[in-house]
Amino acid sequence: MTLSSDLPNTPATRSSATPIILDGRAGPDAGPDGPQSPLFDGLNPQQLEAVKYRGPALLIVAGAGSGKTSVLTRRVAGLIESREAWPSQILAITFTNKAAAEMRERVRGLLGQASDGMWISTFHSSCVRILRREAESAGLSTNFSIYDSADTKVTIKRIIKQLDADTMGFTPGNVASKISKLKNELADVDSYARNANMSDPQEVMFVEIFRQYTRRLREASALDFDDLIGETVFLFRAFPKVAALYRRRFRHILVDEYQDTNHAQYALVRELTRPVEAELADDMEDQGLHVKNLQDATGRIPGASLTVVGDSDQSIYAFRGASSRNITEFERDFPGTKVILLEQNYRSTQNILSAANAVIGNNFDRREKRLWSAGGDGEKIVGYTAYNGHDEAQFVADEVEALHRKGMAYRDMAVFYRTNAQTRALEEILVRAAVPYRVVGGTKFYERAEIKDALAYLIAVANPQDELALRRILNTPKRGIGPATETQLGSFAETNGISFRQAMRDSGGLGLGPKVTGAILKLATLLDSAALMMDPQNPAGPANVSDLLTYLLDGSGLLAVLRGSRDAQDEVRAENIEELVAQTKDFNRENPDAGLVDFLTQVSLVAAADDLDDASGTVSLMTLHTAKGLEYEAVFLTGIEEGLLPHQMSAGEPGGPAEERRLFYVGITRARQRLYLSLAMTRAQFGDVNVAMPSRYLQEIPADLIDWKQSPGMANSRGGTQSRALNARPGGGGFGSRSGTPGQLPPAPKPKTEWANRVTAQVRDNGDLTLNPGDRIRHVDFGDGRVNQVTGEGTKRIAHVQFDTSGAKKLLIKIAPIEKIE
DNA sequence: ATCGTCGATTTTTTT
DNA sequence: AATCGACGAT
C-alpha cells in the first residue's frame, strides 16, 4: 500500500520517504485531504502555503500575532493526517515547555490519539532526553545532575575563592556569563586555551577557573544548561552512528522562535538535518533498523525536512548568545529554502499595530515588514506619567479595576516591566487594592532556598557524585556540622581519592568530635537507606518520588524544624515544601512509569512562563522577556523610562539600544484590544530615589495614537491639578524640562482626578476592624468614602468603597490605611 | 558552631 | 530595601 496517491499537495516529496509500516496503527481514517479539510479552514493564502509547502527547508517569517502557532500545528497535523510521516518522525522545538504543551494539545485536538509519540519540547528537554539515552557514548552517567545558573554560580564562586581570583576582578557573575557565552559558541576549555593569550595573567587565571569548573562538573557528574546543548552536538559529531539513529528517526524538524537560537542550537539543528551516508545506512539496515524505505537512489538517507519560524524583530536574547543571523542567513545555510512571509495580524487593533510599526521602523538593518490588521483602529493607547513607582502602580490598579468593571476578566490582563525589581511597588499596590494577580517567573518556586534544600536531598540520592547537593544539605537543617568540618571532609575525600559521599561514610576515623561524627554518619545512613528504596533491585520495587521525599524529610527533620520555628517566614517555607510534596504526588499520578531522575529533570527545566495558569482568574505580572509569545486583551507596559527601557546596562553593548527597542516592540504587540503605557518621574532604586526621563522610544509613537491621561509635560508643569502639585515628591522636579528632547509628547491635557497620586508606603494592620455597607471611612490617600459592600473572609476581607473624589475602589481591609469616621 | 551586627553590594533580561 | 559575607561574641 503506497500513500503517495493520497498526497495531492506534495509534489516535492519522494514517495520513498513515506513510512511503509502503516498497518500497525489505526491512523485517522484517510479523510478527505483536499482544501476542504478542516486543517485548512480559515487560513489566508500565505498561511495556507506555509501549511502545505513540502520541501527540504522552509522559513516562515512570522510577524507578531500572524497566527504562526496555528500554522505550525496544522503543518504538523497535516504531515501526519496525510500519512507522510509518523508521529515519531516529528521533532518540534519550542521555546518554553508551556508552548510545547500548547502545541501538543492543539495537535491532539486536530488528530486525537494519532498525535502520540511526537517529540514536542524545548531544546533543553530534547537534549536531556537524548543524553540520558546515549549516556554511555557521551561518557556520562544516566543520572547526571543538571546545574541551574545558581548552582553554576556557587561552584564558580568557590573556585574563585580557592584561587584568590577575586583580587583580579573576577566575580561569579562575569565568569559565569563568559563561560556561558563560550559554551554557546561550542568552545570548551581546551579549544579556548589554545587561542588564548597566555601572557596575559587575566587570561591565564580565567582559563584556570574554566578548567576547574569543567573538572568539578565532571566529578559531580553534572551538566549546566549550556552543556545540555553543547554535549549533544559533541555527541553527534563524535559518534556518527549515534547521530544516524536520530537523523533516521526525525524526518521532519520544526523550530519555533528561530531568531532566538544561539550558535550551539543552530549547530544541533544542522547535525540533526544532515543526511545519513549510504554506508552507514546499509549498516543500519543490516542491524535490522529498517531504513530501506528511507534511502534514496544513492543509498543515503536524505536529511530531514526543516521548518523554522521566526521574526528578527522579536529577537530579544542576543545577550545570551542568540543571533538573528541564524534567521537572516537561513537561506544561505539551507539551500533550496522556501521563504513565506506572514504579515497579516489577527491579534491587535490597528492603532496598536501602527505604534508597533512606528517603533520598530527605527531599527535599521532589518527586513521591511509591516503588520496590518483588518480589525479596525480600536481604542487609543492610554499614556500615564506618574510621580513615582507607587503612583504608577496605583494607575495600573485603577485601570485594571475599571476594565474589570466593564466586564474584562482579570486573566485577560497583564502587566509587563523591564526588570524584576519593579514588581515590588506593583505588588504592594495590587495587594492593597485587592486585585488578584500573579507574578510569573521572578523568584521561581524551584529557586526558593527551602525548595532547593529539599531537592538537594533528592539529588543526593539520585546522583551520589553530586558534591554540591551534598554540601548543601550537610548542615541543613542545622546539625552541628560547620564549615570547618565540611572542609575537613572535603580534603579527606581529595587526599584519599574517594567521593565526598564516601568520605562521609568513613568519617568515623577522622577524629572529629563524637557529636559531629554521629551527625555525619546519621545523614550518610539516611541517604544510603533512601538510595536502597530507589534501587531497581529492591524486592519491594522502587519507591515513588513522593514516598522518597517524605522519607527524607522525616529522616532529616527539615520540615519539622521549619514547623517548629517561631519565625513567621519559616511557616511559609514549610508550606512551600509541602507544596513540593504535593507536586511529587501529582507527578507520580501523571507519570506512573517515571522515576526520580525524570522528576528532577522536569524540575530543572521549567521556564518562567511554564507556571502560567491560564485558568486562574488573575492578572499576570511578568518581565517583557517572559511575555514573548503570549497575548492579552489588555496590556500595561510600565516603566517606559530612560535607564529602564532602554536599560542602563544595554547602553554600552553594541546593538543594545536596538535590542531594547525590539523588547518594547514585543511588549506592544502582546496587546489585543487595549494598551497602556506608563512611566514614573522618579523611581526608587538601590534604596534611594532617582529622577527618570521618558524613554526615547515613546517619541517614536505618533502622537495621535496616544491619549495621555497625564503626559510627561503636564506632570511637572505648574498647572497640574492641586492634589498633584501637593503630592510631588522631593526630587520629582525637573522631569518635564527635557532640554534637547524633541517634544512631541504633551498633547491634550485632560486632567482627571480619578487617580490618587500618593500612596503611603507604610504597612498597616487594622486588626479586626469591621466594616459594614453604609459605613463612612477616611483613607489616607483617597479621602472620604462610603462602603458599598464587604466581601471575602478573614484577613482577605475586601471593602468596596465609593470615594467622594477618587472614584470606586476595592480595599483590603486588614492593611488599607483607613479609619472609620462619623 | 551559631548567632548577631555591621557594612558592602546589589538589579537586565533567562533556558 | 534587602540580601550576603565578614567578623566578633557567646
Side-chain angles (χ1 to χ4, degrees), chain A residues 418 420 444 482 485 608 623 625 649:
Chain A
R418 177 67 233 269
N420 281 306
K444 282 180 271 171
T485 311
T623 64
H625 284 87
M649 290 293 140

Coordinates of all heavy atoms in Angstrom, one line a residue, chain A residues 418 420 444 482 485 608 623 625 649, chain B residues 1-3 10-15:
Chain A
R418 N 10.4 45.9 32.7 CA 11.7 45.5 32.2 C 12.5 44.7 33.2 O 13.2 43.7 32.9 CB 12.5 46.8 31.9 CG 13.9 46.6 31.4 CD 14.0 45.9 30.0 NE 14.8 44.7 30.0 CZ 16.1 44.7 29.7 NH1 16.7 45.7 29.3 NH2 16.7 43.5 29.8
N420 N 12.8 42.7 37.1 CA 12.0 42.1 38.2 C 11.9 43.0 39.4 O 10.9 42.8 40.1 CB 12.7 40.8 38.6 CG 12.4 39.6 37.6 OD1 11.3 39.4 37.3 ND2 13.5 39.0 37.1
K444 N 11.4 32.1 41.1 CA 10.6 30.9 40.8 C 10.5 30.0 42.0 O 11.4 29.9 42.8 CB 11.2 30.2 39.6 CG 10.9 30.9 38.3 CD 11.5 30.1 37.1 CE 12.9 30.6 36.8 NZ 13.6 29.8 35.8
G482 N 29.8 22.3 60.9 CA 30.1 23.6 60.4 C 31.1 23.6 59.3 O 31.5 22.6 58.8
T485 N 34.3 21.5 59.6 CA 34.1 20.0 59.4 C 33.9 19.8 57.9 O 34.5 18.8 57.3 CB 32.9 19.6 60.1 OG1 33.0 20.0 61.5 CG2 32.8 18.1 60.1
A608 N 10.1 30.2 33.1 CA 9.3 31.2 33.8 C 7.8 31.1 33.4 O 6.9 31.1 34.2 CB 9.8 32.6 33.6
T623 N 8.1 39.9 33.3 CA 9.0 40.8 32.5 C 8.7 40.7 31.0 O 8.0 39.9 30.6 CB 10.5 40.2 32.7 OG1 10.5 39.0 32.1 CG2 10.9 40.2 34.1
H625 N 10.6 40.0 28.8 CA 11.2 38.8 28.2 C 10.3 37.6 28.3 O 10.0 36.8 27.4 CB 12.6 38.4 28.8 CG 13.7 39.3 28.3 ND1 14.0 40.5 28.9 CD2 14.5 39.2 27.3 CE1 15.0 41.1 28.2 NE2 15.3 40.3 27.2
M649 N 22.2 49.2 31.4 CA 23.2 48.3 31.1 C 23.4 48.0 29.7 O 24.4 47.5 29.2 CB 22.9 46.9 31.9 CG 23.0 47.0 33.3 SD 24.8 47.3 33.8 CE 24.6 48.5 35.1
Chain B
dA1 P 32.6 23.6 63.4 OP1 32.0 22.4 62.7 OP2 32.8 24.8 62.6 O5' 31.5 24.0 64.5 C5' 30.6 23.0 65.0 C4' 29.3 23.7 65.5 O4' 29.7 24.7 66.4 C3' 28.6 24.4 64.3 O3' 27.2 24.2 64.6 C2' 29.0 25.8 64.4 C1' 29.3 26.0 65.9 N9 30.4 26.9 66.2 C8 31.6 27.0 65.7 N7 32.4 27.9 66.2 C5 31.6 28.5 67.1 C6 31.9 29.6 68.0 N6 33.0 30.3 68.1 N1 30.9 29.9 68.9 C2 29.7 29.3 68.8 N3 29.4 28.3 68.0 C4 30.4 27.9 67.2
dT2 P 26.1 24.8 63.7 OP1 25.0 23.9 63.8 OP2 26.7 25.1 62.4 O5' 25.7 26.1 64.4 C5' 25.3 26.1 65.8 C4' 25.0 27.5 66.3 O4' 26.2 28.2 66.5 C3' 24.1 28.3 65.3 O3' 23.0 28.8 66.0 C2' 25.0 29.4 64.8 C1' 26.0 29.5 66.0 N1 27.3 30.1 65.7 C2 27.9 31.0 66.5 O2 27.3 31.5 67.5 N3 29.1 31.5 66.2 C4 29.9 31.0 65.1 O4 31.0 31.5 65.0 C5 29.3 30.0 64.3 C7 30.0 29.5 63.1 C6 28.1 29.6 64.6
dC3 P 21.8 29.4 65.2 OP1 20.6 28.7 65.7 OP2 22.1 29.5 63.8 O5' 21.8 30.9 65.8 C5' 22.1 31.1 67.2 C4' 22.5 32.6 67.4 O4' 23.9 32.7 67.0 C3' 21.7 33.6 66.5 O3' 21.2 34.6 67.3 C2' 22.8 34.1 65.5 C1' 24.1 33.9 66.3 N1 25.3 33.7 65.4 C2 26.4 34.4 65.7 O2 26.5 35.1 66.7 N3 27.5 34.2 64.9 C4 27.4 33.4 63.8 N4 28.5 33.3 63.1 C5 26.2 32.7 63.5 C6 25.2 32.9 64.3
dT10 P 27.9 44.8 43.2 OP1 28.9 44.2 42.3 OP2 27.7 46.3 43.2 O5' 26.5 44.1 42.8 C5' 26.0 43.0 43.5 C4' 24.6 43.2 43.8 O4' 24.4 44.2 44.8 C3' 23.7 43.7 42.6 O3' 22.6 42.7 42.5 C2' 23.2 45.0 43.1 C1' 23.2 44.9 44.6 N1 23.2 46.1 45.3 C2 22.1 46.4 46.2 O2 21.2 45.6 46.3 N3 22.2 47.5 46.8 C4 23.2 48.5 46.7 O4 23.1 49.5 47.4 C5 24.2 48.2 45.8 C7 25.4 49.2 45.6 C6 24.2 47.1 45.1
dT11 P 22.6 41.7 41.5 OP1 21.3 41.2 41.7 OP2 23.8 40.9 41.7 O5' 22.8 42.2 39.9 C5' 22.8 43.5 39.6 C4' 21.5 43.9 38.9 O4' 20.4 43.6 39.8 C3' 21.5 45.4 38.7 O3' 21.5 45.6 37.2 C2' 20.2 45.9 39.2 C1' 19.5 44.7 39.7 N1 18.8 44.9 41.0 C2 17.8 45.9 41.0 O2 17.4 46.5 40.1 N3 17.2 46.0 42.3 C4 17.5 45.3 43.4 O4 16.9 45.6 44.4 C5 18.5 44.3 43.3 C7 18.9 43.5 44.5 C6 19.1 44.2 42.1
dT12 P 22.1 45.0 36.1 OP1 23.2 44.2 35.9 OP2 21.9 46.3 35.5 O5' 20.7 44.1 36.0 C5' 19.5 44.8 36.1 C4' 18.6 44.2 35.1 O4' 18.9 44.5 33.8 C3' 18.6 42.7 35.3 O3' 17.3 42.3 35.7 C2' 18.9 42.1 33.9 C1' 18.9 43.3 33.0 N1 20.1 43.5 32.2 C2 20.0 43.8 30.8 O2 18.9 43.9 30.3 N3 21.2 43.9 30.1 C4 22.4 43.7 30.6 O4 23.4 43.9 29.9 C5 22.5 43.4 32.0 C7 23.8 43.2 32.6 C6 21.4 43.3 32.7
dT13 P 16.7 41.0 35.8 OP1 15.4 41.2 36.5 OP2 17.7 40.0 36.4 O5' 16.5 40.6 34.3 C5' 15.2 40.7 33.8 C4' 15.2 40.4 32.3 O4' 16.3 41.0 31.7 C3' 15.5 38.9 32.1 O3' 14.2 38.2 32.0 C2' 16.1 38.9 30.7 C1' 16.7 40.3 30.6 N1 18.2 40.3 30.5 C2 18.7 41.0 29.4 O2 18.1 41.6 28.6 N3 20.1 41.1 29.4 C4 21.0 40.5 30.3 O4 22.2 40.6 30.2 C5 20.3 39.8 31.4 C7 21.1 39.1 32.4 C6 19.0 39.7 31.4
dT14 P 13.9 37.1 33.0 OP1 12.5 37.0 33.2 OP2 14.8 37.3 34.2 O5' 14.4 35.8 32.2 C5' 13.9 35.6 31.0 C4' 14.6 34.3 30.5 O4' 16.0 34.5 30.4 C3' 14.4 33.1 31.5 O3' 14.1 31.9 30.8 C2' 15.8 33.0 32.2 C1' 16.7 33.5 31.1 N1 17.9 34.2 31.6 C2 19.1 33.9 31.1 O2 19.3 33.0 30.2 N3 20.2 34.5 31.7 C4 20.1 35.5 32.7 O4 21.1 36.0 33.1 C5 18.8 35.8 33.2 C7 18.6 36.8 34.2 C6 17.8 35.1 32.6
dT15 P 13.4 30.8 31.6 OP1 12.0 31.0 31.3 OP2 13.9 30.5 32.9 O5' 13.9 29.5 30.7 C5' 13.6 29.5 29.3 C4' 14.6 28.6 28.6 O4' 15.9 29.1 28.7 C3' 14.7 27.2 29.2 O3' 14.6 26.2 28.1 C2' 16.0 27.1 29.9 C1' 16.8 28.1 29.2 N1 17.9 28.8 30.0 C2 19.1 28.8 29.4 O2 19.4 28.4 28.4 N3 20.0 29.5 30.2 C4 19.8 30.1 31.5 O4 20.7 30.6 32.1 C5 18.5 30.0 31.9 C7 18.1 30.6 33.3 C6 17.6 29.4 31.2

